Amino acid sequence: MAPQNETAFVPALIVVDMQEDFCPPNGSLAVQDGRKITPVINYLLNLPTFALRIGTQDWHPADHISFASNHAPPNNKPFESHIEVSNPAPGQEHVTKLQRLWPVHCVGTTDGARLIPEIAQDKLDVLAKKGMDARVEMYSCFGDAFHNTDPTLVARSVDVNVAELLRAKNVTDVFVVGLAGDYCVKYTALDAARVGFKSWVVEDATKCVDPQEGWKQTLLEFKELGVSVIRSDSAELARLRS
């Protein structure tokens, strides 16, 4: 668990998936106005207060289970189709859930998987590649879609133990920004809370696949787990700007 000292405040920033395939004009899974949040993210990256600045990248194999083109018709329509997938954890294969299917995106080493050049990449201390296990979706850098966060279970999916890095820096509070607010940002923020950190999402530093219903549902889930939603100019960020 994260440090429990109630008076401590050691913040970290996670910049989620600011990649070409998630951004207009050419991304295969472009989030509307995804590039426009870059100035806010760079402003946050340049604040001196963060103990750690972590960037994440979707880094999928070509046969990833979430790609609609890897499934037979008629159930292979991007955005529309869902398939039932099994938990990859040993002994939990009977646990299943529905997986939304997407266009092919962020295949490792392709141009679409690159971080957009507008992001101040030199400010990132760590870059974590996630979603590398073809069998399961991994929206969060902490764990897969079944909330498996044990490093021994998710080592095939992510190349960095993000929680361990944060704990090594005595981080208490995690601020999450990037794309998309109703998917990878959401699950990263929720999992940060699940593994013991105070979790925050900076609303003007994220955009959603579905900015109406998707964000509405996301806010409900944040409320359930105590994830706070703020803005970059909010009073809650005063400690970062001081």
Side-chain angles (χ1 to χ4, degrees):
M1 299 292 287
Q4 297 301 308
N5 184 345
E6 293 296 331
T7 63
F9 176 68
V10 181
L13 179 68
I14 300 181
V15 180
V16 177
D17 297 1
M18 291 298 295
Q19 295 168 266
E20 290 289 355
D21 268 344
F22 293 131
C23 290
N26 300 316
S28 62
L29 186 43
V31 178
Q32 185 176 0
D33 295 331
R35 271 188 146 86
K36 291 185 178 181
I37 60 175
T38 304
V40 182
I41 293 175
N42 284 342
Y43 161 72
L44 294 169
L45 280 169
N46 278 284
L47 293 176
T49 322
F50 290 113
L52 199 61
R53 299 165 185 82
I54 298 173
T56 73
Q57 287 174 286
D58 259 6
W59 200 260
H60 296 311
D63 61 344
H64 197 263
I65 198 168
S66 72
F67 296 165
S69 58
N70 288 330
H71 302 276
N75 192 30
N76 65 344
K77 297 177 181 178
F79 302 104
E80 298 179 21
S81 297
H82 293 75
I83 61 164
E84 193 168 31
V85 297
S86 298
N87 191 330
Q92 296 296 312
E93 296 84 358
H94 63 285
V95 179
T96 63
K97 69 183 306 178
L98 286 180
Q99 165 67 57
R100 189 177 187 181
L101 298 184
W102 304 106
V104 175
H105 63 277
C106 299
V107 174
T109 75
T110 64
D111 287 344
R114 290 187 296 110
L115 295 183
I116 62 173
E118 297 94 326
I119 286 292
Q121 298 179 42
D122 61 314
K123 299 296 183 180
L124 294 171
D125 302 303
V126 178
L127 193 55
K129 295 177 173 64
K130 62 184 177 66
M132 297 187 293
D133 188 340
R135 303 170 299 167
V136 64
E137 185 62 272
M138 191 175 191
Y139 294 128
S140 161
C141 62
F142 292 99
D144 63 28
F146 290 89
H147 306 313
N148 295 315
T149 57
D150 187 316
T152 61
L153 295 179
V154 299
R156 289 177 57 172
S157 284
V158 62
D159 67 348
V160 174
N161 185 337
V162 173
E164 183 178 77
L165 289 178
L166 295 169
R167 291 177 186 130
K169 292 287 188 177
N170 295 316
V171 166
T172 58
D173 292 64
V174 173
F175 293 79
V176 186
V177 300
L179 298 173
D182 47 345
Y183 282 93
C184 294
V185 168
K186 175 177 82 170
Y187 288 103
T188 296
L190 290 172
D191 278 353
R194 287 188 178 100
V195 299
F197 300 99
K198 172 61 180 170
S199 184
W200 307 77
V201 171
V202 184
E203 187 172 11
D204 53 328
T206 187
K207 294 289 183 181
C208 295
V209 173
D210 181 352
Q212 302 303 321
E213 290 304 312
W215 187 238
K216 180 179 178 181
Q217 176 60 34
T218 295
L219 292 176
L220 292 175
E221 294 181 49
F222 284 168
K223 186 175 182 180
E224 289 178 3
L225 281 187
V227 176
S228 300
V229 179
I230 57 174
R231 294 185 61 83
S232 60
D233 59 356
S234 67
E236 292 89 346
L237 279 178
R239 286 181 290 182
L240 300 179
R241 296 192 293 268
S242 61

